[in-house]
Amino acid sequence: MWQSSPPGSIYDYIRVASFSIGPDGLIEQWSRRAAGLFGVPADKAVGMDPVEAFMPAELRRDGHRRVGEILDGKEWTGLVPFRIPGEDPVRGLAEIYVMPSETGTGERAALCIVVDVRALRRIETDLAASQAIFGQSPFGFVLFGTDLTVIRANQRFATVFGGQAADHRGRTVDDYLSRPEADRLTATLERVLDTGASVTDLQLIGTAPGDSDNRHWSMNLYRVHSGSGRPIGIAGLATDVTRRHIAARDAASARRNLALLNEASARIGNSLDLETTARELLDVAVPGFCDLASVDLYQGLLTGDDAPPGSWDSLRQESVGSSAELRRVALASAVSDALPATAADTAAPGTDTGPPALGAVHRFSYNSPCAIALRTRQVEDVPGDDRGFVQSTLAVPMVAHDTVVGLVQFSRTKGSEPFGERDRALATELAARAAVCIDNARLYRREHERALILQRSLLPPGDPVAAGLDIACRYLPGNTATEVGGDWFDVIELPGHRTALVVGDVMGRGLRAAVAMGELRTAVRTLALLDLEPAEVLSALDEVARGLGTPGGGTSSSDGFGGGAQWPSRAAHKSREADLSEVYLATCVYAVYDPVTRRCTFANAGHLPPAVVEPGEPAMLLDVPPGMPLGVGGEPFEEVEVELKEGALLALYTDGLVESRDHPLDEGLDALRGALVEPERPLEDVCDHVLTTLDTRHGEDDIALLMARIRGLPADAVGDWRLPREPRSVGRARELARGRLLAWGLEELVDTTELLVSELVTNALRYGEGEIRLRLLRDRTLVCEVWDAGLVQPRRRRARDTDEGGRGLQLVGLLSVAWGSRRTPRGKTVWFELALPDGEPAAERTVEQLLSMF
């Protein structure tokens, strides 16, 4: 029975050839493989002497001897160099197996089997190399048959899975991997065997014998073929990549942590609201870091206590029974709408044992992990309850600036990866960042509240009252996100029923701006009492602004106005140049209104122009030279005097009313003019209409609005006379005063007024110059003014016992409500003020008051 060997068998690789030698020593038969090996066809080789034809000349003698021995019946095997007939150089080396034989007639012959030694050496080298690669490989190498059983495995594979390499023959993937992984690998092997497509980096997870930890392998698979191309199995090269997997997991964890920290930097602390900041923390943590989370802040922190409950002193003073009160301000869950109870949510004895609800005030029991974390300022691991689905919890104290502000709990459910050391560090960092933002918000809120209290305490209480003016005002502070600004307004009563209207804005925000505003407002009131002109007030106020914050104040320098006011020195200004953070700049409008003449004098220090609406006319902005802001220095201020009509409306305001990020200043000023319509409406309604009409974006900046309607004093409420410079003018002044008071029905004030008018007119005659002017004004009080052209200011002094005079101004100060003097463009005015009678008898003077005149 003939069996045909498939192409690619071992004989093809070895290249075995054969030929036979007859009794005469000549070639009798020549196979096709011999023809291919020696390059001589059969028709030429038959009949040739193999020794003479194929052997080199130096070997022929020994070759003939060997052929004779073979024909005598001896076998021989050896290596014989050969050449091609007709060529001298040796072509190759053949290994010849010579076996004696007999012909059909009984004669001696020989059969020769020839193998090309070069092919043998290549096969030996290939086998040795294959064995070295397979056996010495540091990677697990396994060969699966077409039935997917192991045909061969190297020692490295056996080292991982136990035993010797030969012990693994016949095993299947089920002997090495769990069912899911084995099914996945089996399906991959079948696909490779069917399609011939190789698979690289197939990730497999399993456990080695005697090892409980999961290991990760990367496997490359490819189909193996025979020389004829027939598939004979699948080769697999497996590499243990457990360390690489751990490193990749750690790197991914580090990248995730960095991404979370970066996200936390961007998202936490965008608001100055404590509860909003807590929610921002949970928005970052859930679900990127954990499945459940909650934030508890100390109740005292939320109520604004000055001493935070999380400081060291307060922590040491906590009762043994429980922690201080906390409020749950934020909850987040990636698995349900509400945060389930965890082992960390252990309430104090005698309280509800359930988890605190959002907004609930509660305490942690003293020995609970949460209370321990708050006391020790260390992260506490809280294992999950077998009955629940929470795997573990981290109780992390929120510490900032040596203050514990609260506690955050991060929880992971069963099935999630447990918390590791990297997670503990990340949880601590997230809590610390949120704690700093919360503590900063607490400190800012406290400063904001104090600044707001300070600012409001310095503003005029209620609606101010002024002679000849109806006044309405509004002040809208910025919200907590924009801080307290330095806006202020004021209404100051001046002598002669005049009124100073002031609106200003300190550049900057916060407590420092509010304090600077308070200092400037106080300075304005002080300067107003000196009864200076508006431009002089702003010049002196500019000096004050440049001296704000100077340690130790400044040296005194007389201003020449009634006794020498104290202003900061230039040296004090220079000492502050190094600290630019202490430079205060402010804008201000200062206006003085005289109700008798209805004239208003304005001076502006870099502020927005006043707006005026006269009856029947559109609103307009007064052309008041803006000047430089207060604190810049070096530039004088100009004054503008405007006569206002009866019923006209005057508006002073700060930039928060007309300027915002969304529209330029010009548009805001146009909108203000458009809102100042129907000036005859009640003044309070006009204020409300302006605020509701303008797009003020309230909250972005403080808004101060001061509105005044002009109501000049009636003509019958003013008495104005000019007196010649002669002694009889004293008596004439008394007569004029008496007559006007009787006409006004103020009989009770006649005697006092006559006496004081006599004193002032007498002083004008004795110490003054030029013509004398007497004026009586009746409004909420009675004011008497005496004007002359002299520049010497009256000075009150205490007369000696022997002096016959010198008690006039003492008498004026004793009998009047107030008195004083002020400079005028062409002289001075001395005035006194008397309260109008209210129907009750006047209080009698004490003995001390009467004696003080002598």
Side-chain angles (χ1 to χ4, degrees), residues 229-565:
R230 177 174 56 88
I232 61 174
I234 303 106
L237 184 66
T239 306
D240 191 335
V241 293
T242 303
R243 291 185 179 179
R244 187 177 73 185
H245 178 80
I246 294 174
R249 183 181 62 188
D250 292 343
S253 176
R255 287 194 298 269
R256 182 201 64 186
N257 292 355
L258 289 175
L260 278 174
L261 290 177
N262 183 59
E263 184 180 6
S265 300
R267 297 180 60 182
I268 298 177
N270 293 322
S271 169
L272 290 172
D273 181 73
L274 304 182
E275 297 182 7
T276 301
T277 302
R279 289 192 296 269
E280 290 170 346
L281 168 62
L282 299 194
D283 290 341
V284 172
V286 179
F289 176 67
C290 62
D291 302 315
L292 314 167
S294 66
V295 176
D296 299 290
L297 298 180
Y298 277 111
Q299 178 70 357
L301 179 77
L302 297 169
T303 56
D305 291 348
D306 287 339
S311 60
W312 277 118
D313 293 337
S314 62
L315 289 175
R316 283 194 290 265
Q317 293 172 0
E318 284 188 0
S319 63
V320 178
S322 62
S323 68
E325 285 188 342
L326 299 103
R327 185 194 304 172
R328 182 144 293 183
V329 296
L331 288 171
S333 173
V335 294
S336 64
D337 294 335
L339 186 66
T342 66
D345 279 329
T346 306
T351 63
D352 184 10
T353 57
L358 183 64
V361 178
H362 64 97
R363 297 175 183 267
F364 290 115
S365 60
Y366 187 78
N367 292 321
S368 67
C370 291
I372 295 174
L374 289 172
R375 288 196 304 273
T376 62
R377 305 187 175 196
Q378 300 295 325
V379 180
E380 288 291 319
D381 290 307
V382 185
D385 190 349
D386 294 337
R387 296 171 295 177
F389 65 92
V390 173
Q391 177 181 214
S392 61
T393 298
L394 294 178
V396 186
M398 305 175 71
V399 184
H401 307 141
D402 197 34
T403 299
V404 180
V405 299
L407 183 83
V408 57
Q409 298 179 54
F410 302 107
S411 300
R412 288 181 179 174
T413 58
K414 293 179 179 177
S416 299
E417 186 178 353
F419 289 114
E421 286 302 317
R422 290 180 182 270
D423 296 322
R424 288 171 59 92
L426 177 61
T428 302
E429 180 65 22
L430 289 175
R433 294 195 179 198
V436 169
C437 295
I438 288 175
D439 193 52
N440 288 342
R442 174 185 68 85
L443 296 174
Y444 172 79
R445 183 179 63 181
R446 183 177 65 182
E447 177 179 321
H448 181 271
E449 290 174 351
R450 292 177 178 178
L452 195 58
I453 292 173
L454 172 63
Q455 189 177 45
R456 288 177 173 172
S457 67
L458 295 174
L459 296 176
D463 290 331
V465 179
L469 292 175
D470 294 335
I471 295 178
C473 51
R474 294 289 187 274
Y475 173 72
L476 302 178
N479 57 33
T480 56
T482 58
E483 304 187 59
V484 172
D487 294 14
W488 93 91
F489 64 90
D490 208 346
V491 179
I492 307 170
E493 294 187 56
L494 300 177
H497 287 313
R498 294 172 304 130
T499 303
L501 303 176
V502 189
V503 168
D505 184 4
V506 176
M507 298 180 187
R509 297 187 178 279
L511 186 59
R512 292 176 63 252
V515 170
M517 179 271 287
E519 294 181 352
L520 289 177
R521 179 181 179 272
T522 301
V524 170
R525 283 191 159 263
T526 302
L527 294 169
L529 293 178
L530 297 176
D531 211 353
L532 306 177
E533 295 298 323
E536 294 174 336
V537 169
L538 293 186
S539 295
L541 196 61
D542 179 61
E543 292 287 335
V544 174
R546 282 188 285 166
L548 288 181
T550 302
T555 60
S556 62
S557 62
S558 175
D559 64 349
F561 302 140

Side-chain angles (χ1 to χ4, degrees), residues 215-229:
R215 304 193 69 80
H216 297 260
W217 293 287
S218 173
M219 200 164 192
N220 298 327
L221 300 171
Y222 59 93
R223 190 170 67 182
V224 180
H225 306 85
S226 66
S228 62

